[in-house]
Amino acid sequence: MALLTLDTFRMAAVDQLQQYAQILQVPIHVALTVEDLRSALRFYQDRTLVLIDTPGHNPKDGEVLGQMRRFLDELPDVETHLVLSATTKPRDLADIAQRFETLKPTRLIFTKLDETSTYGPILSTLVRVKKPLSYLGTGQEVPQDLELATSRRVADLILPVPNVVTV
Amino acid sequence: MSDQASKLRALARAEAPEPTLFKSRVMAITSGKGGVGKTNVVAGLAMSLAISGQRVVVLDADFGLANIDILLGLTPTHTLEHVLRGEKLLEEILLDGPLGIKVIPASSGIQELTRLEAASELRLVQGLQRVAEHQDWLLIDTAAGIHDSVIKLLMAAQEIVLVTTPEPTSLVDAYAMVKVVHLRDPNKPIWLLVNNAQSETEAEETIEQLQAATQRFLGRELQVLGLIPNDPFVLQSVRQQRGVVEIFPRSPSALAFRTIADQLKKKVPLQKGGFTSFWKQLSLEES
Ligand SMILES: Nc1nc2c(ncn2[C@@H]2O[C@H](COP(=O)(O)OP(=O)(O)O)[C@@H](O)[C@H]2O)c(=O)[nH]1
Ligand SMILES: Nc1ncnc2c1ncn2[C@@H]1O[C@H](COP(=O)(O)OP(=O)(O)O)[C@@H](O)[C@H]1O
Ligand SMILES: [Mg+2]
Ligand SMILES: [Mg+2]
């Protein structure tokens, strides 16, 4: 595995990822330009998994999004997952998902499920963008608060199974 | 320590019982005057350390006269220049030198290491960080002379090896170098290495003269690493583009390199995060 990051906007973000890389003993590479990213992907092409972190954006900042798109357009083989927070208002969610269409995400990740108890917006967003979920974030602990999203899990969130007393 | 990643840390630990802590020693090899044998010393020490089981990477930071690759008969297809431009990762330009040492080749005439734009510096720094993580020593072959960029590298390195020959000119320039470093940081360890000595007596005289000067004018005593004798095998190995330690292991200079490498191993402390602090220093020196 290898970690790449495009998030140089905040040095703290690099530091944070560097710490994770050190714990995991995996290499990390900060890419400043498309050229950097291409070099790194070429170098790490034999790795089973290369994870690329990106900076967070204000979805209304078209310029930054455009920059991001130029990065991703260079990398047709990269699978893009859009991370959304389950605590975002439904209308904003719809708006964000629509604006990020330009990055052609293939999957969604919802985080902060632990900070809300209304999960309807997750489903409606999925239906609207017609993309599957990949992971769910349920807390701040790494890695145990990230779980693989299954349809069963989402169904349970929307239509909770009444608590059955188990002995 | 408990934080967001404590579970992750525990998991990682279970997988690799002893995660290799990032420890390395960063030594800059320098001289006041040019042509005193720095590059040969770097190669000799690197190979001697390698023979005694150490992992060594050599950074060619003499961008004016980059030549350690030539000295060792290596043919780089890419150099630091490509790394600085983001076209290659540092790992991709690393050369496998003799006896398992790694060499980071430069190319003559590229921007000075310390006048890099921020993006280039980040590319170099993170590459060196990744590479040094698997090494015990980072030896830096610097340019000669008192230039800002050289001094900056010296101040950033953990310790300095100052190479001089017994020639009076070399000696005077060596003193000047000690003075500049001392004025910036009186605690920076400086190791004195006399190269190309005709005899032990000559080397001792050289050391005494320099010590007398630094003691008198700077109130400081240098640590003595030892001497490398004048040795015709050096020139022979240079001609063959091979390290003297490798092809003439019984030659006087090779034996001397082995002794000095053992000294280094004994006397230079391992620094945890030595490399990281090296770069922090380097950036700080900028201002
Ligand atoms: N409660 C909760 N906090 C989360 C979750 N995912 C992330 N966080 C926290 O949100 C903050 C920002 O996370 P980070 O990964 O840096 O987000 P980024 O800014 O999008 O890169 C951190 O404090 C995380 O611990 C989640 O699923 N639940
Ligand atoms: N101990 C020695 N005995 C004989 N010749 C030496 C010795 N050390 C260096 N030389 C010669 O001095 C020349 C300059 O050495 P080099 O390592 O390139 O110096 P620098 O890196 O300081 O410019 C080389 O041609 C080398 O053959
Ligand atoms: Mg982030
Ligand atoms: Mg040289």
Side-chain angles (χ1 to χ4, degrees):
Chain A
M1 185 174 98
L3 298 179
L4 307 183
T5 182
L6 307 178
D7 191 356
T8 50
F9 183 60
R10 293 176 307 151
M11 250 4 245
V14 175
D15 266 354
Q16 196 184 21
L17 204 60
Q18 212 145 32
Q19 283 182 22
Y20 282 126
Q22 178 128 44
I23 296 172
L24 291 167
Q25 294 278 298
V26 299
I28 173 172
H29 186 81
V30 183
L32 300 165
T33 62
V34 173
E35 179 83 58
D36 283 329
L37 193 57
R38 226 186 275 131
S39 307
L41 284 172
R42 193 188 53 236
F43 183 67
Y44 293 119
Q45 64 189 350
D46 297 335
R47 307 265 168 158
T48 345
L49 181 66
V50 178
L51 291 173
I52 308 176
D53 191 15
T54 64
H57 309 293
N58 176 347
K60 297 198 172 155
D61 189 339
E63 196 187 315
V64 191
L65 269 178
Q67 210 177 321
M68 198 61 222
R69 198 185 61 190
R70 281 192 292 282
F71 262 96
L72 295 178
D73 280 351
E74 290 286 331
L75 314 161
D77 296 336
V78 171
E79 189 179 289
T80 306
H81 295 223
L82 174 63
V83 182
L84 298 168
S85 166
T87 60
T88 306
K89 295 190 204 98
R91 272 193 49 189
D92 291 338
L93 270 181
D95 185 48
I96 295 169
Q98 197 250 319
R99 286 175 194 271
F100 274 85
E101 270 305 298
T102 166
L103 300 185
K104 306 187 192 78
T106 51
R107 294 193 173 240
L108 299 186
I109 294 174
F110 269 94
T111 62
K112 313 220 170 165
L113 266 68
D114 55 312
E115 291 186 5
T116 180
S117 39
T118 50
Y119 306 108
I122 298 181
L123 191 61
S124 40
T125 309
L126 292 177
V127 169
R128 183 174 335 225
V129 301
K130 299 195 179 58
K131 292 185 208 307
L133 274 174
S134 57
Y135 288 90
L136 294 171
T138 57
Q140 291 193 289
E141 302 288 322
V142 179
Q144 65 267 42
D145 289 341
L146 190 68
E147 49 179 279
L148 195 68
T150 60
S151 32
R152 173 65 199 260
R153 177 78 163 98
V154 179
D156 284 351
L157 284 171
I158 314 287
L159 293 167
V161 183
N163 266 341
V164 180
V165 184
T166 50
V167 188
Chain B
M1 178 179 27
S2 177
D3 56 31
Q4 286 184 322
S6 47
K7 189 69 178 271
L8 180 66
R9 217 169 269 121
L11 285 173
R13 222 175 291 130
E15 199 126 300
E18 271 174 60
T20 41
L21 250 184
F22 185 1
K23 287 184 191 160
S24 52
R25 300 161 165 116
V26 181
M27 312 283 293
I29 289 77
T30 195
S31 68
K33 187 173 174 289
V36 298
K38 278 184 306 302
T39 304
N40 273 281
V41 165
V42 170
L45 291 180
M47 283 187 253
S48 303
L49 285 166
I51 288 174
S52 67
Q54 301 282 291
R55 298 165 301 176
V56 187
V57 59
V58 171
L59 171 65
D60 190 347
D62 185 352
F63 287 3
L65 291 164
N67 55 14
I68 188 134
D69 48 320
I70 299 170
L71 191 75
L72 297 175
L74 305 171
T75 42
T77 44
H78 296 93
T79 67
L80 270 181
E81 201 172 356
H82 300 93
V83 175
L84 299 179
R85 287 203 298 250
E87 291 161 19
K88 290 277 165 190
L89 267 68
L90 192 70
E91 289 93 328
E92 293 178 284
I93 68 154
L94 265 191
L95 299 172
D96 286 313
L99 303 172
I101 68 170
K102 305 272 183 206
V103 176
I104 303 167
S107 40
S108 293
I110 53 181
Q111 287 167 291
E112 281 171 79
L113 187 56
T114 41
R115 290 214 196 105
L116 301 176
E117 50 168 314
S120 301
E121 188 176 290
L122 180 65
R123 290 180 185 120
L124 178 63
V125 171
Q126 57 169 327
L128 282 172
Q129 258 170 4
R130 285 193 306 264
V131 168
E133 200 147 351
H134 309 284
Q135 307 294 327
D136 301 305
W137 297 80
L138 170 63
L139 302 184
I140 306 170
D141 187 9
T142 71
I146 302 167
H147 310 293
D148 275 358
S149 52
V150 176
I151 301 299
K152 203 169 136 173
L153 264 177
L154 297 183
M155 301 319 292
Q158 181 186 337
E159 315 214 352
I160 298 169
V161 175
L162 178 63
V163 182
T164 181
T165 67
E167 284 172 49
T169 43
S170 169
L171 208 54
V172 169
D173 291 349
Y175 171 75
M177 189 57 111
V178 174
K179 186 173 166 185
V180 170
V181 172
H182 181 80
L183 291 180
R184 293 210 180 192
D185 179 0
N187 297 316
K188 179 66 72 183
I190 303 178
W191 295 93
L192 185 57
L193 194 162
V194 179
N195 185 35
N196 223 346
Q198 295 295 340
S199 66
E200 219 157 292
T201 328
E202 192 190 37
E204 271 157 21
E205 279 168 18
T206 305
I207 294 167
E208 267 166 37
Q209 283 171 18
L210 197 53
Q211 291 281 30
T214 58
Q215 252 161 3
R216 173 147 177 225
F217 299 113
L218 307 173
R220 149 159 206 170
E221 197 171 348
L222 303 172
Q223 295 159 283
V224 178
L225 205 48
L227 75 102
I228 309 289
N230 172 271
D231 180 358
F233 284 108
V234 171
L235 194 58
Q236 268 199 55
S237 67
V238 171
R239 289 220 176 95
Q240 295 186 39
Q241 289 186 277
R242 306 277 297 277
V244 70
V245 173
E246 187 192 13
I247 57 169
F248 302 117
R250 303 266 109 220
S251 65
S253 58
L255 294 175
F257 278 127
R258 298 287 299 272
T259 308
I260 290 179
D262 286 342
Q263 292 277 315
L264 283 179
K265 244 173 88 176
K266 264 194 231 116
K267 293 184 178 162
V268 178
L270 258 181
Q271 224 180 35
K272 198 176 132 191
F275 191 69
T276 325
S277 49
F278 167 71
W279 284 102
K280 284 208 175 108
Q281 268 283 339
L282 196 54
S283 317
L284 281 180
E285 281 282 319
E286 196 104 45
S287 43

